[in-house]
Amino acid sequence: MAGTIQEIADRAGVSRGTVDRALNKRGRVKPEVAEKIEQIAKEMGYIPKRRKKELHIGVVTQLSGSSFMIQVNRGIQEAAAVLENRGIHLLLRECSSVNEEEQKKAIESLQKEGIDGLAIMPVDSDKIRVKLNELTEQKKIPVVTFNSDIVGTKRTCFIGLNNQKSGQAAAGLMGLMMQGHGKVLVITGYFSNSVSSRRVDGFVEEMKRQYPAMELVGVQSSFDHTEEVEKIIVQTMSVYPDLRGIFVASGGQAGVRQAFEKLNLKRRPYVIIYDLTPKNEAALLEDTVDFLIDQEGYEQGYQAPVILADMLEKGEMPEREYLYTEIKIKTKYNVGE
């Protein structure tokens, strides 16, 4: 009799999830462990189970024009290619904003196409909450959230950054650079976006706890627009020319450089931004910013539909409810790694 996933896991001394990732080439498995698992599977004559019908997985994103979506979309596209080889089709809906009506329509259009599962970057609103619970409870369509999460739903799991902790990490870095003293400006994207809001909450909380002598001069919304980030910095520094720190918790990071060029500063404030994009890498290398927090957007975009596919096709549930990506701190010295 051919071996099962559980039997392979028992023999290899690993979890079922590790076996699944190794056999399906989904990364995050040490090469020597993956090789051992593959050899055991071969010896035991493991044969993947085949489903009886074609599967369709819907994917809904938000802020499609934002720079952080570059890596997320790359992950989604590669997942689509891998799953297509398994006969599983991805149906993508890209929303341009953080708008509950736009997102609700995207979900409903996927429903009409007959999706079997949904991976979504949810807008945290009652309308989306009700819609997702309708899918999971009434339609029995599993939902996985990624990048952003939503409370009060029956979604299976969340894949993404622990945004509260990443904000705390940013506050720790800023406090060290500023030696615990001076004025700090925080720039967010949309106040309705739970991702950036949690980063800001974590930053402010940790700053007050660890560095009480640091002064928060404001939390302002840029709507992820470069020009707004530039405008906020220029206006703030006209009032507080001694500003020592800037934390940008969302998009529009190119506005930092534009502001500094306009102000023609002899010494710029310390700056921390998010998302590993070509422009942001250049900002690090050019000394426009000091630290960049990478949220592993590729992993988020890739893992969400693949986890759903494994649930639907193999009945394999994720190992944990919260599958946090690593908080990676980048500087000009390690940005190319």
Side-chain angles (χ1 to χ4, degrees):
M1 182 181 291
T4 65
I5 287 280
Q6 187 61 61
E7 288 170 340
I8 295 169
D10 292 342
R11 186 166 161 186
V14 299
S15 69
R16 286 169 56 91
T18 300
V19 172
D20 175 60
R21 288 196 296 276
L23 296 180
N24 289 289
K25 312 295 184 186
R26 295 203 283 118
R28 293 192 173 223
V29 180
K30 292 181 180 179
E32 61 271 21
V33 176
E35 185 178 351
K36 179 181 179 181
I37 290 169
E38 289 169 1
Q39 182 60 37
I40 292 171
K42 184 177 179 180
E43 291 172 359
M44 297 181 74
Y46 172 73
I47 301 173
K49 292 182 179 179
R50 302 294 179 185
R51 65 188 176 284
K52 297 180 180 179
K53 68 162 191 166
E54 284 195 338
L55 295 173
H56 295 83
I57 293 174
V59 180
V60 177
T61 63
Q62 55 175 267
L63 297 170
S64 57
S66 298
S67 59
F68 81 91
M69 285 302 300
I70 294 172
Q71 290 202 45
V72 175
N73 282 330
R74 187 167 64 86
I76 293 170
Q77 290 162 7
E78 293 201 20
V82 169
L83 295 179
E84 195 67 35
N85 289 333
R86 290 166 56 178
I88 303 172
H89 312 294
L90 250 57
L91 305 174
L92 176 64
R93 296 291 185 275
E94 298 179 279
C95 297
S96 61
S97 65
V98 185
N99 180 281
E100 61 180 10
E101 288 297 335
E102 181 185 18
Q103 189 166 90
K104 184 169 177 285
K105 288 178 182 177
I107 297 169
E108 289 171 346
S109 73
L110 288 170
Q111 258 190 283
K112 290 178 181 178
E113 293 200 40
I115 57 170
D116 301 286
L118 176 67
I120 185 171
M121 297 169 57
V123 175
D124 194 354
S125 75
D126 287 338
K127 284 188 178 180
I128 299 303
R129 192 170 289 106
V130 168
K131 190 63 189 175
L132 295 183
N133 281 333
E134 175 192 315
L135 289 183
T136 57
E137 295 174 359
Q138 297 178 26
K139 307 297 183 182
K140 306 303 178 184
I141 296 174
V143 173
V144 165
T145 59
F146 66 105
N147 190 262
S148 60
D149 201 7
I150 184 167
V151 298
T153 66
K154 300 294 185 179
R155 60 102 178 97
T156 302
C157 68
F158 165 72
I159 303 109
L161 198 64
N162 185 325
N163 288 293
Q164 187 90 8
K165 282 192 174 181
S166 78
Q168 291 173 334
L173 292 170
M174 190 68 79
L176 290 172
M177 289 190 291
M178 294 173 54
Q179 297 182 321
H181 294 82
K183 297 179 174 65
V184 182
L185 168 67
V186 173
I187 300 176
T188 186
Y190 293 80
F191 286 120
S192 58
N193 187 334
S194 62
V195 172
S196 50
S197 293
R198 288 192 177 99
R199 293 172 184 173
V200 172
D201 289 345
F203 184 91
V204 174
E205 172 190 291
E206 188 68 6
M207 188 187 80
K208 289 180 178 179
R209 188 176 71 86
Q210 289 279 30
Y211 306 103
M214 288 168 58
E215 179 186 351
L216 180 66
V217 300
V219 178
Q220 298 198 43
S221 171
S222 69
F223 306 103
D224 290 326
H225 292 161
T226 296
E227 292 72 21
E228 280 299 313
V229 171
E230 175 190 347
K231 180 181 176 181
I232 290 167
I233 294 172
V234 170
Q235 289 182 343
T236 301
M237 294 200 72
S238 70
V239 179
Y240 303 103
D242 58 342
L243 185 72
R244 294 194 65 202
I246 299 172
F247 173 50
V248 183
S250 55
Q253 303 97 330
V256 175
R257 178 180 180 179
Q258 292 179 191
F260 290 167
E261 289 176 346
K262 181 173 287 188
L263 291 166
N264 193 25
L265 302 170
K266 289 184 179 179
R267 181 177 179 180
R268 65 167 176 79
Y270 297 111
V271 182
I272 300 173
I273 62 175
Y274 277 82
D275 303 316
L276 193 62
T277 67
K279 286 185 178 179
N280 288 348
E281 287 186 31
L284 274 177
L285 295 172
E286 295 166 1
D287 282 322
T288 301
V289 304
D290 300 284
F291 290 102
L292 180 153
I293 299 177
D294 175 27
Q295 57 178 320
E296 292 195 295
Y298 170 86
E299 285 296 322
Q300 296 178 27
Y302 184 88
Q303 294 293 344
V306 169
I307 285 172
L308 273 168
D310 290 344
M311 288 170 57
L312 293 165
E313 187 180 37
K314 306 173 186 177
E316 294 179 359
M317 300 299 290
E319 295 177 344
R320 299 179 302 281
E321 179 182 357
Y322 294 95
L323 301 170
Y324 289 129
T325 53
E326 186 179 351
I327 301 173
K328 290 187 174 180
I329 310 297
K330 294 290 184 179
T331 71
K332 66 181 178 180
Y333 302 106
N334 70 346
V335 72
E337 296 179 358

